[in-house]
Amino acid sequence: GGLSRESGFDLPFAHHIELGDAAGLALVCLAGFIACPYLDLTFHRARQLTSDNDAKFAFGIGFGVFFASMIVLTLFYAQRLSRFDTSEGNFSNIGFWLLATHWLVQMTYTVHVHAAELQRQAESRDDAGMMRSGLGLWLAIALAAGLGMTFGGDHGFAFHGRSFGEAGYRIFMSFYGLLFPAYVLLAIGERRVSLVAWLGISAIASPFYWLAFLEGRMPWAIAGVGVIVAGAVFARQFTPAATVSPTE
């Protein structure tokens, strides 16, 4: 069975959602939302500058109100945006420009705060010069890739019915659903597993993510998340606890 409009569960798109698909996507999202904040330097900065009670309030409002509202609003405008044909130059829709302005403001602020934290960390490691020289290049590449996927059109490319932009976006999001959660599970704590183990476990799990997100067989994501969790538990059993000196 599944969730459909006939059952009273109404969504802006998707007439029918299989429970296996929903379970696979939910597990990937859960892994990403739990693990990825550990790698966000802006979160660490916000926590360092707030007390225990203030931190609970700030992160509760940030995740429970602002971030949640953005996800819900995306759900509602995604279907309409998917019908917008950029190849014909149809940019007269006021809603499109409001959305584009929102994206631009959000991306500008996000890049600014992350760049500031990366620069601060680089200065503490005395590699600020390398940081300054490489950050601008990587940001330019990321921006160009994003604009290309958004406005470049499909140019006849299709993979299992997915456009170039959608396929590229799904591959990009694998960092948040696969590589980052696997890294956090392996790197945080007393038993820090090697880079080889991280890459190996990610490689074993990647075919399941490919089947789920590129070929549309979402239940395979359950196996992908299972590989990450089981691989992390197994690898930690054979990794000695790190020895930390009293001065560190």
Side-chain angles (χ1 to χ4, degrees), residues 1-4 7 16-22:
L3 302 175
S4 65
S7 65
H16 189 80
I17 301 176
E18 294 291 340
L19 292 180
D21 294 346

Side-chain angles (χ1 to χ4, degrees), residues 231-247:
V233 172
F234 180 80
R236 283 178 174 272
Q237 296 299 317
F238 297 93
T239 302
T243 302
V244 181
S245 65
T247 59

Side-chain angles (χ1 to χ4, degrees), residues 112-144:
H112 171 72
V113 294
H114 281 280
E117 289 304 317
L118 288 172
Q119 182 67 27
R120 185 178 290 109
Q121 186 183 68
E123 291 173 350
S124 67
R125 297 198 310 260
D126 295 328
D127 58 356
M130 182 183 300
M131 188 67 213
R132 281 192 295 268
S133 62
L135 181 61
L137 175 62
W138 282 111
L139 290 178
I141 292 174
L143 180 60

Side-chain angles (χ1 to χ4, degrees), residues 4 7 27 35-36 54 59 66 73 79 81 90 98 104 134 140-141 155 166 180 190 201 204 210 218-219 224 227 238:
S4 65
S7 65
L27 281 178
C36 289
D54 290 341
F59 282 88
F66 293 108
L73 289 174
Q79 184 183 29
L81 186 64
N90 182 20
L98 289 175
L104 181 61
I141 292 174
H155 301 294
E166 182 181 354
F180 292 160
E190 294 182 353
I201 292 173
I204 295 173
W210 180 275
M218 192 58 67
V227 168
F238 297 93

Side-chain angles (χ1 to χ4, degrees), residues 200-242:
I201 292 173
S202 299
I204 295 173
S206 60
F208 300 110
Y209 280 76
W210 180 275
L211 289 171
F213 288 97
L214 272 299
E215 298 192 14
R217 298 154 71 179
M218 192 58 67
W220 282 105
I222 301 174
V225 175
V227 168
I228 294 176
V229 175
V233 172
F234 180 80
R236 283 178 174 272
Q237 296 299 317
F238 297 93
T239 302

Side-chain angles (χ1 to χ4, degrees), residues 25-78:
L25 182 60
L27 281 178
V28 174
C29 292
L30 182 64
F33 281 125
I34 290 177
C36 289
Y38 285 95
L39 304 177
D40 193 321
L41 294 177
T42 63
F43 285 6
H44 290 276
R45 171 66 58 176
R47 182 62 186 91
Q48 290 169 359
L49 297 178
T50 53
S51 64
D52 290 344
N53 291 332
D54 290 341
K56 293 177 182 178
F57 177 79
F59 282 88
I61 295 296
F63 278 101
V65 178
F66 293 108
F67 192 59
S69 64
M70 291 181 65
I71 294 176
V72 173
L73 289 174
T74 301
L75 181 69
F76 281 93
Y77 70 64

